[in-house]
Amino acid sequence: MNMMFFVVFLLFSLLIFRLGIVQIVQGEDYQRKIERTEDVTVNASVPRGKIFDRDGRVVVDNLPQNAITYTRKKGASQEEMLETAEKLAKLIDKETDQVTERDKKDFWLMKHPKEGKKKITEGEWEKYKENEIDEKTIYQMQIDRITEADLKELKPKELEILAIYREFTSGYAMTPQIVKNKNVTEEEYAVVSENLASLPGVNTTTDWERAYVYDNTLKTVIGNISSSKEGLPKEMVDYYTLRGYSRNDRVGKSYIEYQYEDMLRGQKTKVKNVTDKSGNILDSQVIRQGQRGNDLMLTIDMELQRAVDQIVEEELKREKAGYGRHLLDRAFVTMMDPNTGEILAMSGKKIETNDGKTEVLDFALGNLTTSYAMGSAVKGATVLTGFMTGVNNPGDTLIDEPLKFKGTRKTKSSVFNRHGRVAVNDRTALMRSSNVYMFKTAIEIAGGKYIPNSSLKINLEDGFSTMRRYFGQFGLGVSTGIDLPNEQVGFQGKINLGEPGKLLDLSIGQFDTYTPLQLTQYVSTIANGGYRMEPHIVKEIREPAKENNKIGPVVQEIQPKVLNRLDATPAEIKSVQEGFRLVMNGSQGTAKNFAGTPYRPAGKTGTAEGVYDGPKGEQFLKNGQPLPMTWNLTLVGYAPYDNPEVAFSVVVPWVYEGKGSSKINKTIGKKVLDKYFELKSERMKEETSDVSLEQEIVFKDEKEKDEKENTEEQ
């Protein structure tokens, strides 16, 4: 017993000695550890870069707006956040449209814990105590047993509290979350600012939203960004978070906004929050000032774009009002600099009827995401393919005549020559749009020879492969390389070895489909002497300017890029260029309405007949009706023909059915070229006037200086 008491005595002595050291010797160190603060670095969002047109006009801007935010501290409890949400709900109006049924059920359980407990039977609770059912399963059972009647107990103001609480919990701790940034009234902003002391984590600040200066002009190509409610797209959360994004950051969702996200996103403000051991923010220090994203300068001329939009819309509506035009619903125009690939205007309009209301919507995006049979507009590619494969030479004469094949009832002929025999060469074939010249060229490319009333014996697979490969050199049926996502390359018709005539259809643009943008790249390749230029819609990337309404210095200039050179000789290309010139200026040209214009155009018309493949096709099939045969009208061109500075395509699908006629493609084409050169002339006059004014000022200054010197000498 004495030994045991002695050991106990020693142990207590050691304990007292140790406590003395902790309290007396190391007390201050431990006290500092208790009062220790923690530095937490977070990033604050900044506005995106602006978008300008080629002349410095603002296209997309950032509009400042009042905002209310919440920063959740580490370890914040549900009760603390709910209490703050209840206080804030008394000061602001919060929309509840984002609140889900699951949110309501979770909130109902928080507000009614006793009633929620009763949702579980005694037997189930017993199983829970015995670890046969885990807590997660119990909670899910409670959620599943909440009824519609239970949810109706939630009052409108409680739903507002829930909507606010939902925003509080939507992001990471110590990272500001937007609670409200739309329609924050001056009164709400002021009253929340006055009560920040009683609203832990809440703050008032300035946020931004995208402002589209030209409304819906080119809107489908500019694209959209996610809202602060949406945040990062679910399918790309990992991709963005690894690159420093927060879950509620706004990012580009489509087209230009998406394609140039890395340039437009900006550099976030880096803030160091000093917190105590409870997670309360004691101080905030800005480590790095943020900077809004780089600005984009487009290749688009917004003045030309708006004028082209107006022309397309007016002509589409006028044509739609005609007889038998019930399937017509869209039209496209793309204008491009054939020497650089810069897109000058990209217009698309679509007529839609919803709830009995008809409206014309922007569909510029359709220039690269939809494709159609283009008809004779592609005959320039067929002629040059004949040259490049060696089956024809510039100036060679072929006989245009109705072609009759064994086993077929109908002849295949040119529109201008249904019965006779006419000698044509490549130039006159393009001018008069000879189908037969193209048919005979395609037959020889496929290793055949036309013999009247005989079977069409050709190597069909080789013929298709060869022609499609050479067409691809112009950009037809392949990616154009434009700096936008989701470009379509068109559809290749299905080859049936028992239908050799399909190759002849391909030669006149009535088998494969192409996009309006591909058509523009094709005609640009002919216009510039055989170089396929990569089209682009962004001209320059610039640093954000320090002053409003200014443009910053250039960070990167998008250089013209040659994708390939045609395998044709300069003489062969020149011959096709001359054929295109005759189309618009020759006495027998299919677009001779352009003749006499001062800008000296060249081009090729197109008409394609085919089974209707538009959005109303399902209605025909649903009603047991066959799809009707419709006509697409197209036009490609460039000007001036001897020194091209602009190339364009016009595509109007499904204009009419059966027998009919229309000049909408030529009308639109002439009007957009007229407008382009009209605007150019006006700008040259303005520049001349500005130079004259500067010279006059300089002359006046020099005159006054001379007079002053003469006076001093005298």
Side-chain angles (χ1 to χ4, degrees):
M1 289 293 290
N2 288 335
M3 286 296 294
M4 185 181 72
F5 281 127
F6 181 71
V7 171
V8 171
F9 171 76
L10 287 176
L11 291 173
F12 270 102
S13 298
L14 289 171
L15 179 62
I16 292 169
F17 179 73
R18 179 60 184 158
L19 287 173
I21 292 175
V22 169
Q23 186 171 352
I24 297 169
V25 180
Q26 298 175 328
E28 291 184 5
D29 291 338
Y30 282 113
Q31 184 65 34
R32 281 195 295 270
K33 288 181 180 180
I34 290 172
E35 296 173 350
R36 181 177 60 190
T37 60
E38 184 178 359
D39 295 344
V40 180
T41 302
V42 297
N43 294 319
S45 179
V46 293
R48 291 172 74 80
K50 298 180 180 181
I51 300 177
F52 299 87
D53 84 337
R54 67 185 298 113
D55 294 317
R57 304 181 188 92
V58 178
V59 178
V60 183
D61 205 344
N62 298 309
L63 192 66
Q65 56 183 4
N66 292 334
I68 298 167
T69 65
Y70 176 77
T71 304
R72 175 164 55 94
K73 71 177 185 179
K74 285 186 176 180
S77 65
Q78 284 186 345
E79 291 74 18
E80 289 175 321
M81 290 190 288
L82 193 58
E83 182 182 351
T84 303
E86 289 174 349
K87 291 179 181 178
L88 186 58
K90 295 176 182 178
L91 306 178
I92 67 172
D93 292 324
K94 175 67 176 173
E95 294 179 353
T96 61
D97 56 329
Q98 295 294 314
V99 175
T100 65
E101 184 178 339
R102 177 57 190 259
D103 292 332
K104 293 177 183 178
K105 289 183 176 182
D106 289 330
F107 189 69
W108 187 91
L109 284 176
M110 288 173 58
K111 300 293 288 184
H112 304 86
K114 293 181 180 179
E115 291 85 344
K117 193 172 183 179
K118 293 178 182 178
K119 298 287 183 182
I120 306 300
T121 65
E122 291 183 8
E124 290 167 339
W125 281 120
E126 285 297 325
K127 290 182 179 180
Y128 171 69
K129 291 175 183 177
E130 295 173 4
N131 294 324
E132 293 182 21
I133 301 177
D134 59 20
E135 186 176 349
K136 185 177 180 181
T137 303
I138 286 288
Y139 188 79
Q140 187 60 49
M141 291 165 68
Q142 289 175 310
I143 290 291
D144 293 339
R145 293 170 187 178
I146 295 173
T147 65
E148 288 292 329
D150 293 331
L151 296 181
K152 287 182 180 178
E153 295 175 8
L154 297 175
K155 298 176 182 178
K157 202 62 186 176
E158 287 182 304
L159 291 178
E160 281 194 58
I161 295 170
L162 170 56
I164 294 172
Y165 175 78
R166 185 178 182 272
E167 301 293 352
F168 284 6
T169 60
S170 62
Y172 298 113
M174 309 305 297
T175 302
Q177 306 295 316
I178 297 291
V179 176
K180 184 177 180 180
N181 61 355
K182 291 284 183 71
N183 304 318
V184 177
T185 66
E186 294 296 332
E187 183 180 352
E188 287 177 332
Y189 192 83
V191 73
V192 171
S193 299
E194 291 170 2
N195 290 275
L196 291 179
S198 61
L199 297 167
V202 176
N203 197 10
T204 51
T205 184
T206 301
D207 195 35
W208 56 272
E209 67 175 345
R210 277 312 219 188
Y212 301 94
V213 178
Y214 294 92
D215 297 323
N216 290 323
T217 301
L218 209 65
K219 183 67 170 60
T220 55
V221 172
I222 292 170
N224 296 306
I225 65 169
S226 60
S227 66
S228 55
K229 291 180 181 179
E230 294 174 284
L232 303 180
K234 291 181 181 179
E235 67 276 9
M236 298 187 71
V237 168
D238 292 341
Y239 173 84
Y240 282 119
T241 52
L242 287 171
R243 286 159 176 77
Y245 286 78
S246 299
R247 286 181 177 270
N248 65 336
D249 278 347
R250 283 160 282 188
V251 297
K253 294 198 300 183
S254 58
Y255 298 98
I256 292 176
E257 292 277 18
Y258 170 82
Q259 186 75 15
Y260 287 90
E261 170 64 28
D262 289 345
M263 299 296 176
L264 292 167
R265 65 176 290 196
Q267 179 178 281
K268 291 185 174 183
T269 301
K270 203 168 189 176
V271 179
K272 181 174 73 175
N273 290 326
V274 182
T275 67
D276 60 19
K277 64 184 180 66
S278 300
N280 297 309
I281 298 175
L282 303 177
D283 187 26
S284 293
Q285 302 168 8
V286 176
I287 299 174
R288 182 189 68 201
Q289 287 289 351
Q291 178 175 280
R292 70 174 173 84
N294 286 329
D295 297 332
L296 301 183
M297 179 168 278
L298 303 181
T299 61
I300 297 288
D301 177 346
M302 286 305 288
E303 190 174 5
L304 175 64
Q305 176 72 38
R306 295 183 77 188
V308 173
D309 275 351
Q310 184 177 353
I311 291 167
V312 173
E313 181 171 341
E314 288 176 354
E315 294 305 318
L316 180 61
K317 288 163 71 174
R318 182 179 291 111
E319 189 73 26
K320 180 70 174 175
Y323 177 75
R325 303 298 196 260
H326 66 283
L327 294 177
L328 171 64
D329 70 344
R330 62 193 66 187
F332 305 97
V333 170
T334 298
M335 304 185 78
M336 185 170 94
D337 184 333
N339 305 299
T340 64
E342 294 180 0
I343 302 294
L344 305 176
M346 183 181 283
S347 177
K349 293 295 178 180
K350 182 165 63 172
I351 298 174
E352 283 194 359
T353 302
N354 295 309
D355 299 326
K357 182 182 178 182
T358 300
E359 54 185 344
V360 180
L361 305 176
D362 175 68
F363 193 38
L365 195 58
N367 281 281
L368 63 140
T369 61
T370 61
S371 63
Y372 311 93
M374 298 300 187
S376 299
V378 306
K379 285 178 177 176
T382 302
V383 172
L384 276 166
T385 298
F387 293 162
M388 290 186 283
T389 54
V391 302
N392 289 329
N393 294 297
D396 285 355
T397 299
L398 297 179
I399 299 300
D400 185 296
E401 59 187 326
L403 303 187
K404 176 65 176 176
F405 298 102
K406 185 178 180 180
T408 61
R409 289 178 296 176
K410 292 185 177 180
T411 59
K412 295 181 79 71
S413 61
S414 302
V415 174
F416 76 92
N417 179 31
R418 297 293 190 188
H419 305 290
R421 288 167 55 85
V422 179
V424 294
N425 59 26
D426 53 286
R427 299 179 183 186
T428 54
L430 289 170
M431 177 179 67
R432 305 189 70 180
S433 199
S434 169
N435 289 341
V436 174
Y437 181 97
M438 311 304 154
F439 294 155
K440 289 185 175 181
T441 298
I443 291 170
E444 293 206 25
I445 289 172
K449 192 78 174 176
Y450 171 66
I451 301 174
N453 299 310
S454 296
S455 299
L456 181 55
K457 296 179 181 179
I458 57 176
N459 190 324
L460 193 62
E461 290 183 345
D462 283 355
F464 267 105
S465 175
T466 300
M467 292 193 68
R468 283 172 174 166
R469 186 174 70 253
Y470 279 103
F471 274 33
Q473 290 190 18
F474 298 87
L476 296 173
V478 298
S479 172
T480 65
I482 191 170
D483 52 340
L484 289 172
N486 303 327
E487 179 190 8
Q488 187 189 123
V489 296
F491 294 98
Q492 294 185 348
K494 187 176 180 181
I495 302 173
N496 187 334
L497 296 179
E499 297 179 315
K502 297 299 184 185
L503 182 66
L504 310 190
D505 294 337
L506 176 69
S507 72
I508 61 170
Q510 299 202 139
F511 192 63
D512 288 355
T513 66
Y514 312 112
T515 67
L517 180 60
Q518 288 174 334
L519 210 59
T520 309
Q521 188 180 51
Y522 143 75
V523 75
S524 294
T525 304
I526 293 174
N528 65 31
Y531 297 92
R532 183 165 77 99
M533 304 302 299
E534 182 179 76
H536 57 277
I537 202 163
V538 172
K539 182 179 177 68
E540 295 170 347
I541 298 166
R542 292 176 172 260
E543 289 182 8
K546 295 180 180 179
E547 300 178 31
N548 286 333
N549 302 319
K550 298 289 184 179
I551 302 176
V554 176
V555 175
Q556 179 184 350
E557 184 176 358
I558 309 302
Q559 298 295 330
K561 182 178 179 181
V562 179
L563 298 177
N564 62 263
R565 168 74 164 80
L566 294 182
D567 291 337
T569 66
E572 291 169 342
I573 296 171
K574 187 70 176 176
S575 190
V576 171
Q577 289 175 339
E578 177 60 16
F580 276 25
R581 185 190 71 80
L582 292 172
V583 168
M584 290 187 167
N585 298 277
S587 60
Q588 295 179 314
T590 55
K592 58 186 178 183
N593 59 306
F594 282 85
T597 50
Y599 43 78
R600 308 185 307 282
K604 184 72 188 78
T605 56
T607 307
E609 182 186 20
V611 176
Y612 175 71
D613 55 354
K616 296 181 180 179
E618 290 184 5
Q619 297 178 14
F620 287 97
L621 298 175
K622 193 178 292 184
N623 297 330
Q625 298 174 310
L627 294 173
M629 298 295 289
T630 57
W631 294 84
N632 302 339
L633 300 183
T634 60
L635 176 70
V636 296
Y638 53 88
Y641 58 73
D642 51 353
N643 186 24
E645 61 182 75
V646 60
F648 70 95
S649 70
V650 179
V651 178
V652 190
W654 320 311
V655 180
Y656 56 87
E657 302 172 43
K659 293 182 178 180
S661 65
S662 173
K663 296 181 180 179
I664 185 173
N665 53 338
K666 301 173 190 176
T667 303
I668 291 177
K670 187 171 185 303
K671 285 189 174 183
V672 297
L673 271 190
D674 287 347
K675 178 56 68 173
Y676 172 86
F677 286 100
E678 176 188 324
L679 292 174
K680 179 185 176 182
S681 177
E682 290 175 359
R683 287 168 184 166
M684 290 178 65
K685 288 179 182 178
E686 289 175 3
E687 290 173 3
T688 303
S689 176
D690 291 341
V691 170
S692 298
L693 183 60
E694 288 177 6
Q695 291 174 341
E696 185 178 336
I697 293 171
V698 171
F699 177 75
K700 185 178 179 181
D701 290 343
E702 291 179 348
K703 185 178 180 182
E704 289 176 353
K705 184 179 178 181
D706 291 342
E707 290 177 352
K708 184 178 180 181
E709 290 176 353
N710 290 335
T711 302
E712 288 174 352
E713 288 177 1
Q714 290 174 0

